Amino acid sequence: MKSSCGARFTLLILFLFAAQSMSVYAGSFHKDVQIHWGDGRGKVLDNLGNLLSLSLDKSSGSGFQSHQEFFYGKAEVQMKLVPGNSAGTVTTFYLKSPGTTWDEIDFEFLGNISGHPYTLHTNVYVKGTGDKEQQFHLCFTIDGIPIREFKNSASLGVPFPNNQPMRLYASLWEAEHWATRGGLEKTDWSKAPFTAFYRNYNVDGCVWDHGKSPCSLNSPGSSSRKPWFTQELDVKGKNRVKWAQRKYMVYNYCTDKKRFPQGAPPECG
């Protein structure tokens, strides 16, 4: 993964659900998503629906969401982040379920001042509670290498996001009070509008339709699919995660003794 401060697109592959699924299709921004806020600041830029832009100015940011909800699967997109001085901006691609006790899996790219790397902020919310942040500085190519694994630790009393369907979302918004160096660097609005690009959106997933999914444990034939629900990274994948975290991680909630003076949360063991 590149930090995408230049003209190239960064490949962001999000292993958001299980590794296998039921429905596979090449996505189109025209048919698969709707730009649900921004008052015209989000635009599909080509006839095939392969390229979409989101913009941010002092009045508003913008964002899109998938038409469908998904239960398990994989999603991927290529992103070109805001170039140059993007301090205070946040460019995202994430999953979220509705309601007050929602589940959420976040990938948020926190803007920079020129010459500094983007910070990739990741988090997991379960039943409306997050506080599971890890952050990375991505300066070199690590496309296709997993950087984080959130294990199912339900046996330890840790909630796991495995029973609520989620939509895919993306947004470009302003958070200068915390996004860049903890809010020390403010947004330079003379550089606005800020623009990020998304292309080659694809989902390989189980669509949630009228309260059920072909990936549900209770669906017909689900017994033959149960291995996906317990599938883990193999030894090679785990070693890659360790490598990426050793080289690029700049914050890990599991090692924050100020937040957890009595010891790390149980899922960190």
Side-chain angles (χ1 to χ4, degrees):
M1 187 178 295
K2 301 183 180 69
S3 62
S4 191
C5 292
R8 299 187 65 181
F9 279 83
T10 297
L11 179 61
L12 173 63
I13 301 180
L14 306 185
F15 295 92
L16 297 175
F17 309 91
Q20 300 181 44
S21 57
M22 296 296 296
S23 304
V24 183
Y25 61 87
S28 164
F29 288 120
H30 282 305
K31 67 183 180 66
D32 297 322
V33 310
Q34 66 178 49
I35 299 170
H36 68 297
W37 69 282
D39 193 23
R41 292 173 178 83
K43 299 176 182 178
V44 180
L45 300 175
D46 66 322
N47 291 333
L48 294 177
N50 289 330
L51 181 64
L52 182 149
S53 67
L54 297 178
S55 292
L56 164 70
D57 57 37
K58 202 165 186 177
S59 297
S60 179
S62 52
F64 68 82
Q65 67 178 33
S66 63
H67 288 304
Q68 295 175 316
E69 294 178 297
F70 301 94
F71 203 55
Y72 288 90
K74 182 177 77 173
E76 65 182 27
V77 73
Q78 290 178 299
M79 299 171 65
K80 181 182 177 183
L81 306 178
V82 176
N85 185 349
S86 55
T89 69
V90 182
T91 310
T92 74
F93 191 60
Y94 65 101
L95 283 160
K96 189 174 184 293
S97 64
T100 57
T101 56
W102 74 97
D103 294 344
E104 184 173 343
I105 300 173
D106 288 339
F107 281 71
E108 299 180 310
F109 291 86
L110 311 184
N112 57 29
I113 56 176
S114 296
H116 291 252
Y118 264 82
T119 297
L120 171 56
H121 178 92
T122 69
N123 202 353
V124 178
Y125 285 77
V126 185
K127 297 182 179 178
T129 300
D131 299 328
K132 296 175 174 60
E133 304 93 341
Q134 289 182 352
Q135 293 185 343
F136 303 81
H137 282 169
L138 303 179
C139 305
F140 301 95
T141 299
I142 58 169
D143 289 343
I145 296 176
I147 63 171
R148 180 170 184 177
E149 180 184 30
F150 187 74
K151 296 181 180 180
N152 188 339
S153 300
S155 61
L156 302 177
V158 180
F160 190 75
N162 63 350
N163 60 9
Q164 297 191 75
M166 303 189 219
R167 292 187 194 277
L168 281 156
Y169 293 87
S171 60
L172 175 57
W173 56 288
E174 178 272 321
E176 67 172 15
H177 60 289
W178 70 273
T180 305
R181 295 182 59 211
L184 294 177
E185 302 293 341
K186 303 303 182 183
T187 306
D188 182 355
W189 291 110
S190 70
K191 302 292 193 297
F194 302 100
T195 303
F197 296 89
Y198 296 76
R199 74 177 184 186
N200 295 339
Y201 167 88
N202 286 285
V203 178
D204 173 359
C206 296
V207 174
W208 183 259
D209 186 28
H210 294 94
K212 53 187 178 179
S213 163
C215 299
S216 171
L217 283 171
N218 297 319
S219 65
S222 62
S223 60
S224 64
R225 306 185 194 115
K226 286 184 181 179
W228 339 330
F229 292 86
T230 57
Q231 184 170 357
E232 298 183 60
L233 289 172
D234 59 16
V235 173
K236 183 178 180 180
K238 290 179 183 294
N239 287 337
R240 285 182 165 188
V241 170
K242 291 178 181 178
W243 173 85
Q245 293 186 351
R246 185 173 64 251
K247 288 185 70 69
Y248 301 112
M249 184 183 287
V250 295
Y251 177 79
N252 184 2
Y253 78 106
C254 288
T255 59
D256 192 334
K257 294 182 180 179
K258 291 184 178 180
R259 285 178 62 185
F260 305 106
Q262 304 303 318
E267 71 270 16
C268 296

